[in-house]
Amino acid sequence: MTIAATQASPAQDASHGGHAVTARTELEEFRASVRRMVDDRIRPHAAETDRTGTVPEHSRAAFREMELAGLAFPEELGGSGADLHTQVIAVEEVARGCASSASILLTPWAALTPVAVHADPALAATVVPGVARGDELASFCLTEPTGGTDLASLRTRAERVDGGWLLNGQKRFISNAGHSTWYAVLARSGADSSYGVFLVHAGDEGLGFGKPEEKMGFHGFPTADVHLDDVFVPDGHVVGDPARGYQYMMDTLTYTRPLVAAQALGIAQAALDEALAYTAQREQFGQSLSRFQLVRAMVADMATAVAAGRALLHHACDLAVENTSASRAAVSMAKLFCSDTAMSVTTTAVQLHGGNGYMRDYTVERLMRDAKVTQIWEGANELQKMLVAKDAYAAHERR
Ligand SMILES: Cc1cc2nc3c(=O)[nH]c(=O)nc-3n(C[C@H](O)[C@H](O)[C@H](O)COP(=O)(O)OP(=O)(O)OC[C@H]3O[C@@H](n4cnc5c(N)ncnc54)[C@H](O)[C@@H]3O)c2cc1C
């Protein structure tokens, strides 16, 4: 299935400017088609993916066949140029079946957004199409051992040499590390506080990886350190202006946070579905759990939070393309609210399953483990609160 290019995504439109909105019925039809695919091909393998810790290749095959891997990229780079609403619906529905698979889908979009928007067309044409087809993966390399929240403190250096740049440093917790073809690396490129985005290819000499991390959740989504030891990056593999990389990455986060919010929402929706099914069939005191008012109140709170999260997320998608302080705040609110909702709804779903909920045999146990990291990555929720509060005070002063 191909999605029509009805709205410029940030990956297409550096100005983050004018756009038309994909019709609501079209979006709902798209949601239904992704849901069917996920129910058939991804959800049935999710527990096995979690148990074995293997990359869900069956999901990658399904993304290729349904042309989902290219949703975020413009048609001239091999994508389908879908709008952000369409992208978050795809991510939410995939995450509802398997959170690891959703990360496999969205991480290359995040990694290559600066390329699609800011890189020389020749570089973009080299790098993006393989990822847009779903044949290749890409990694987004910001975090370092010294910290992920305070990105300005990063130490990885790019030193100017004849014909290019020499990269040295270490990136921490990098998704898809060791599996990607391309690594978009943020590095200090000048004595002042200028940074560049440098594209490292999997075959480049000096690129190495740490041990695969053993994580609480997201077992089908690989994470490892990336080591850069005198890696030569030719001038042709530098994204845009080598002094503006920090701004490119910050702009990218405005677009990727809705994707992470959508992933969290998919996890929350899955937990709600599980809680509804379980409480409808489990009996205590001679009646279904679903008949107890306390249980119904818990379910009502879960359903309300999920619906509110979805509304906030699509509101943020409407604003994200503007890339203003208010739109960045809306995106942060969506990331904050949807990830907190994922944590609270999965925790309640485990509670409603009683002892069974604590057992690996039940899906809610995995969902609760997967939910936790959505409050941490793509900017910890405390950082999102800082951004929301900053905009709230600025708006107050303007009034
Ligand atoms: C599974 C996984 C995959 C990841 N994938 C990637 C990836 O692909 N690419 C990438 O670049 N990074 C990735 N990350 C890194 C992730 O983005 C960071 O872990 C995150 O930004 C937090 O940074 P940190 O871990 O260094 O925590 P720190 O910055 O050390 O912060 C620790 C905690 O302190 C609190 N805190 C920090 N600063 C403040 C403040 N100013 N005010 C109040 N509280 C504060 C927050 O609660 C925060 O969680 C991944 C992380 C995980 C766990």
Side-chain angles (χ1 to χ4, degrees):
M1 174 176 185
T2 304
I3 296 301
T6 49
Q7 177 185 347
S9 69
Q12 283 175 279
D13 181 3
S15 71
H16 293 200
H19 55 275
V21 177
T22 306
R24 197 177 162 152
T25 48
E26 200 182 320
L27 287 175
E28 288 315 310
E29 282 168 19
F30 175 67
R31 182 188 291 280
S33 67
V34 178
R35 186 174 296 178
R36 276 193 301 276
M37 180 278 285
V38 170
D39 285 346
D40 285 351
R41 305 199 40 192
I42 294 181
R43 186 200 303 277
H45 305 286
E48 178 74 356
T49 295
D50 177 63
R51 196 179 58 73
T52 58
T54 46
V55 174
E57 293 298 337
H58 56 274
S59 301
R60 293 190 63 199
F63 298 155
R64 276 193 290 273
E65 283 167 38
M66 208 176 169
E67 299 182 16
L68 293 185
L71 282 182
F73 301 113
E75 290 181 15
E76 61 271 23
L77 293 175
S80 48
D83 66 6
L84 196 48
H85 292 278
T86 306
Q87 295 173 43
V88 299
I89 285 173
V91 170
E92 184 195 334
E93 290 302 325
V94 174
R96 193 178 190 205
C98 172
S100 290
S101 297
S103 274
I104 297 278
L105 180 65
L106 75 85
T107 301
W109 297 351
L112 297 192
T113 287
V115 179
V117 175
H118 299 289
D120 182 84
L123 177 59
T126 303
V127 172
V128 176
V131 171
R133 278 194 306 275
D135 294 340
E136 296 175 346
L137 295 175
S139 294
F140 191 49
C141 307
L142 306 183
T143 306
E144 301 200 354
T146 46
T149 309
D150 181 14
L151 270 185
S153 70
L154 68 82
R155 294 180 181 170
T156 296
R157 297 206 68 86
E159 185 196 337
R160 195 82 180 98
V161 292
D162 195 21
W165 300 77
L166 218 47
L167 261 60
N168 279 287
Q170 184 177 355
K171 293 290 178 179
R172 174 127 303 167
F173 303 146
I174 300 307
S175 302
N176 289 339
H179 297 257
S180 289
T181 303
W182 295 101
Y183 296 83
V185 176
L186 184 66
R188 222 172 256 279
S189 56
D192 56 2
S193 57
S194 52
Y195 306 81
V197 178
F198 300 86
L199 275 180
V200 176
H201 186 267
D204 287 346
E205 210 173 311
L207 175 70
F209 305 105
K211 68 172 175 55
E213 297 291 352
E214 293 185 22
K215 306 192 293 290
M216 177 189 290
F218 277 84
H219 291 167
F221 180 50
T223 311
D225 280 10
V226 168
H227 298 272
L228 301 147
D229 187 9
D230 278 346
V231 176
F232 176 71
V233 177
D235 283 330
H237 285 188
V238 180
V239 176
D241 181 343
R244 299 202 54 223
Y246 192 80
Q247 193 54 48
Y248 298 161
M249 289 304 201
M250 292 304 110
D251 291 350
T252 297
L253 290 171
T254 305
Y255 151 73
T256 55
R257 284 180 180 144
L259 301 174
V260 171
Q263 178 179 51
L265 196 62
I267 295 170
Q269 181 67 60
L272 174 59
D273 294 344
E274 293 293 329
L276 289 168
Y278 187 84
T279 54
Q281 58 80 29
R282 174 77 170 175
E283 290 195 355
Q284 289 294 292
F285 302 98
Q287 62 177 0
S288 152
L289 288 181
S290 62
R291 296 184 68 83
F292 291 105
Q293 282 192 333
L294 273 176
V295 169
R296 295 181 84 86
M298 288 157 88
V299 166
D301 285 345
M302 294 160 89
T304 303
V306 169
R310 192 170 291 118
L312 186 56
L313 172 58
H314 285 277
H315 168 69
C317 290
D318 280 334
L319 297 185
V321 285
E322 293 169 10
N323 201 20
T324 59
S325 168
S327 68
R328 286 191 291 276
V331 160
S332 289
M333 285 179 200
K335 193 275 180 183
L336 172 67
F337 189 84
C338 290
S339 58
D340 281 354
T341 294
M343 200 65 244
S344 66
V345 168
T346 56
T347 305
T348 307
V350 168
Q351 185 70 20
L352 287 172
H353 278 66
N356 283 336
Y358 201 65
M359 302 298 151
R360 291 248 155 135
D361 288 344
Y362 284 79
T363 303
V364 288
E365 182 269 347
R366 164 168 50 86
L367 296 173
M368 187 175 162
R369 284 187 286 107
D370 284 346
K372 182 60 211 173
V373 79
T374 67
Q375 296 178 304
I376 296 172
W377 64 20
E378 216 69 12
N381 280 2
E382 290 72 20
L383 176 73
Q384 309 306 331
K385 288 182 183 178
M386 285 161 60
L387 295 172
V388 171
K390 184 178 168 194
D391 180 69
Y393 279 113
H396 179 71
E397 274 174 26
R398 282 196 302 272
R399 275 200 290 270

